[in-house]
Amino acid sequence: MGNHWVLAALVSLSFCLDAVRRFLLPSSSFMPGELVRSARLTLLIAYAFAAFAKLNWDFLNPAVSCAVFYQDQLVRSWNLPDLSVASVPVLGRSLAVLTVVIELAVASLLAFSRTRRFGLVLAFGFHWMLALDLEQHFWDFSSVLFAGFLLFLDDGQVAWLRQQFGAWPKWRPRPFFLPLLIGCLGAAIAVLNILPLELGSAATLQQWGHVAWWGYGTAWVGLIAASLFAPKLPSHRAYERHRVPAILLVPPILAAFNGLTPYLEIKTGFGWNMYSNLKTVAGQTNHLLLPGTWDLTGAQRELVQIVSSTDPALQRLHDEDYGLTFSEFKNYAHRFPNSAVTYRWQERVHHAPRLGDDPVVQGSVNVAAQKLISFRAVDLQAAQRCQPNFSPAR
């Protein structure tokens, strides 16, 4: 699961809540515009938190910044190492600043109808470019955002797009074509998912994703850029005139709470803080605007530090100087109990010839809490390095 799927789930929740509202109140009519406003607000809140998280000292530090890390990865994936800024600190810091400015600008421009068209061009172009990285499949993240950004189109742009698609009658598929296409794609993906990994199924899926993205993403970027000049029309949609029902404010409120969780140390996973270099540990933070966090759980005050292990993922934590919260370590022990581990916790060194037999990690694991309340590995070095994933042990 990733942040984009949390976002998609919250937007989907709006539709479910609206269905419940209309079931309980038969007199209430279906107003698509109210759903659009709820979804817009949810996306804006999530995006604003993601931009806010990047306002920290380490994201602006070219030696560890995720902006520099992924720019280097992108150009390397296209065999263009000369375009890397990793070895030029001034360019690296400028790239990090530019990234923050773009994300803050997207959130600000989309929030107001007068600037929304420019915000859409910037948003589509920025996330199209990020998904060109061939070493990582960012196209799934960008695809979810594209679907969300389309909700911000105004009536003039929608009318223009309808006119463009209506001008190509020969391209209109027959009624059976779309279900057939979806069925074939679904069957192909299912087969690739169940094939043994040694046959290269995962790599094939990723390659197909990149190819599909080049067509799909590029087409939308071009259409959105062209629609910038579409005639503006007076809006007659319901969501421009009516307030969002209270029940449809639940997803935006949940999105805001999710964004606050890293700063409350309830969790540090899936909190709209991805690829941000944000550090929120034991009341301390590297954020530019916050003096510290409000540590409600204390989960990161006593970390598990791996000394040695026969488990390659746990050994990697030691080699790269990362620690784990005890809850994450216990979850891992229940999933992979057969490894030998020596670790330091609560100022003591523990040795477990078989991790699953260690009395320290005995007891049941709450599966729901494990999924919903997750913590990233904690960087034990002074600077918060870019973490491409939760941790080597997750």
Side-chain angles (χ1 to χ4, degrees), residues 112-169:
F112 303 99
S113 58
R114 291 180 179 273
T115 57
R116 196 162 287 157
R117 290 191 176 187
F118 297 102
L120 283 170
V121 172
L122 184 61
F124 273 86
F126 179 63
H127 287 281
W128 170 81
M129 180 192 66
L130 293 181
L132 294 179
D133 188 340
L134 298 178
E135 289 190 20
Q136 199 160 340
H137 52 87
F138 283 124
W139 37 261
D140 53 352
F141 178 78
S142 292
S143 296
V144 172
L145 285 181
F146 270 33
F149 291 147
L150 289 174
L151 297 172
F152 289 86
L153 292 171
D154 61 46
D155 285 350
Q157 289 174 293
V158 172
W160 182 85
L161 287 170
R162 284 177 174 171
Q163 183 181 8
Q164 304 312 306
F165 287 117
W168 303 334

Side-chain angles (χ1 to χ4, degrees), residues 55-205:
L55 292 172
N56 66 74
W57 295 108
D58 293 317
F59 189 81
L60 302 178
N61 178 0
V64 294
S65 175
C66 281
V68 175
F69 178 92
Y70 283 109
Q71 190 272 345
D72 180 67
Q73 180 174 276
L74 190 155
V75 297
R76 188 174 64 245
S77 72
W78 286 89
N79 198 27
L80 298 170
D82 293 339
L83 297 181
S84 173
V85 300
S87 59
V88 187
V90 173
L91 293 180
R93 181 171 285 108
S94 299
L95 177 68
V97 171
L98 179 62
T99 302
V100 174
V101 169
I102 289 175
E103 292 198 6
L104 290 173
V106 167
S108 301
L109 293 171
L110 291 180
F112 303 99
S113 58
R114 291 180 179 273
T115 57
R116 196 162 287 157
R117 290 191 176 187
F118 297 102
L120 283 170
V121 172
L122 184 61
F124 273 86
F126 179 63
H127 287 281
W128 170 81
M129 180 192 66
L130 293 181
L132 294 179
D133 188 340
L134 298 178
E135 289 190 20
Q136 199 160 340
H137 52 87
F138 283 124
W139 37 261
D140 53 352
F141 178 78
S142 292
S143 296
V144 172
L145 285 181
F146 270 33
F149 291 147
L150 289 174
L151 297 172
F152 289 86
L153 292 171
D154 61 46
D155 285 350
Q157 289 174 293
V158 172
W160 182 85
L161 287 170
R162 284 177 174 171
Q163 183 181 8
Q164 304 312 306
F165 287 117
W168 303 334
K170 293 182 180 180
W171 289 82
R172 292 177 182 171
R174 296 182 180 275
F176 65 84
F177 178 78
L178 188 58
L180 179 63
L181 177 63
I182 293 174
C184 291
L185 287 174
I189 291 172
V191 170
L192 287 169
N193 271 303
I194 62 177
L195 283 176
L197 288 178
E198 56 265 28
L199 296 182
S201 56
T204 302
L205 271 175

